[in-house]
Amino acid sequence: MTGGDAGGRLVRPFTLTGGRTRPSRADFTLITTVTTCDPQPDRATRPQPEHLRILRLCAEPMAVAEVAARLDLPVSVVVILLSDLLEADRITARPPHPVNRATPDLDLLQKVRDGLGRL
Amino acid sequence: MAGSDRAAPAPTASARSTARSAAPDAVKILIAGGFGVGKTTMVGSVSEISPLRTEEPLTAAGLDVDDLAGIEEKRATTVALDFGRITITRDLVLYLFGTPGQQRFWFMWNDLSIGALGAVVLVDVRRPESSFAAIDFFERRGIPFVVGVNGFHGRHPYPAAEIREALALPDHVQVLLCDARERTSSRDVLIALIDQLIDAATGAAAS
Ligand SMILES: Nc1nc2c(ncn2[C@@H]2O[C@H](COP(=O)(O)OP(=O)(O)OP(=O)(O)O)[C@@H](O)[C@H]2O)c(=O)[nH]1
Ligand SMILES: [Mg+2]
């Protein structure tokens, strides 16, 4: 039961994800921030229980890794569930800050520096 | 649900003037190093939440069968990833990821290092060689890193300069003696990494 993702390294449990192994259109990273849309779109279909748990968790923005940890599910599974929700316009996904080593973002670095200094 | 198991709210999180907060920008730093050097401990000491962990199932495909000999069953089937969070400002969050220490899980490091600001390589002063491969990894890929020398039992028998020499580190890589259990000590290692990045950036801008 090997997964279909690039490295073929992660097993995708099929029960939760309906057997789909197709890569999603969304590119969720571990620190992509997910937020539940408010209001939710009007839909005839009710979200599945696992989808509902995500919608509740992400009422406040939450990173993909944190969603996975709090649901106690592998990231690979959560990403598939999130793709469903994104396709249904139930969540928004903010990609992480792009990191370009050739042109570092000094403002960002200074902000992180100041924030750490306040800890 | 989410609120109940979170630690003290981040300084800005309580000020919810609007019904829904906008998603913050996100950056990450890796905490790397050999097996048992204190990575999880460091993530936990600076994180505003207690370290979270995800268990990723593995297939045999990612592993050399010989590598599996002798490790306990749990380790053979999942790889744990732990991480923490530091709210920098209302609109910027820093995530810390402890990389899996055992070499057989290093294929995950490639994925993890994409989009990272940089890394902290922790070194256990009693067995520095366990972190050689981590140093090689970041050096080869040009990923900026600092070295944190974790003094187990608070002991630092060697000065930083001596460790730098033993690890054959280039001058621009900072070496800090630290205690991964201490919040301020771990924070200072992160600050050193950011300072190193700022220095490199301003140096590049000047030339
Ligand atoms: N005395 C002392 N113990 C420490 C220190 N840092 C970590 N430890 C202990 O050393 C052990 C290993 O630390 P971890 O933080 O789990 O190390 P790790 O690098 O995450 O280990 P792996 O993820 O298994 O590679 C734990 O029992 C810690 O409590 C330290 O500075 N002093
Ligand atoms: Mg660990």
Side-chain angles (χ1 to χ4, degrees), chain A residues 3-25:
Chain A
D5 53 352
R9 294 180 299 243
L10 298 177
V11 177
R12 294 184 196 274
F14 282 75
T15 43
L16 279 176
T17 57
R20 275 158 294 129
T21 54
R22 198 165 37 85
S24 78
R25 71 175 160 115

Side-chain angles (χ1 to χ4, degrees), chain A residues 2 8-11 30-31 33 35 38 57 59-63 65-66 68-70 74-76 94 96-97 99 101 104 106 108-113 115-119, chain B residues 2 5-6 16 20-27 52-59 83 85 88-89 91 95 97 107 111-112 115-116 142 144 183 187 191 194-195 198 201-202:
Chain A
T2 55
R9 294 180 299 243
L10 298 177
V11 177
L30 287 171
I31 60 167
T33 307
T35 313
D38 183 31
L57 267 183
E60 286 295 314
M62 191 178 280
E66 189 164 343
R70 293 191 186 279
V75 172
S76 49
R94 178 173 181 165
H97 190 92
V99 170
R101 299 227 160 74
L106 256 182
L108 175 89
L109 292 173
Q110 198 57 55
K111 227 169 135 181
V112 174
R113 172 72 172 79
L116 289 172
R118 285 190 298 268
L119 281 187
Chain B
D5 47 359
R6 278 192 198 185
R16 275 209 285 148
R20 294 284 179 249
S21 21
D25 205 0
V27 293
L52 291 167
R53 130 177 311 236
T54 69
E55 300 275 344
E56 296 301 317
L58 294 170
T59 66
F83 64 98
R85 150 156 63 79
I88 300 292
T89 64
D91 52 12
Y95 293 94
F97 284 88
F107 62 84
D111 289 353
L112 273 173
R183 179 181 172 84
R187 176 205 63 190
I191 288 178
I194 301 300
D195 281 344
I198 290 174
T202 49

Side-chain angles (χ1 to χ4, degrees), chain B residues 32-43 53 75 80 82 98-102 122 126-127 150-154 178-182:
Chain B
F35 185 51
V37 292
K39 301 179 294 294
T40 303
T41 304
M42 177 170 272
V43 170
R53 130 177 311 236
R75 292 271 186 186
D82 43 28
T99 59
Q102 289 168 299
L122 281 178
R126 300 164 303 181
R127 41 185 189 94
N150 193 16
F152 281 76
H153 308 293
C178 68
D179 185 334
R181 299 166 301 179
E182 293 291 329

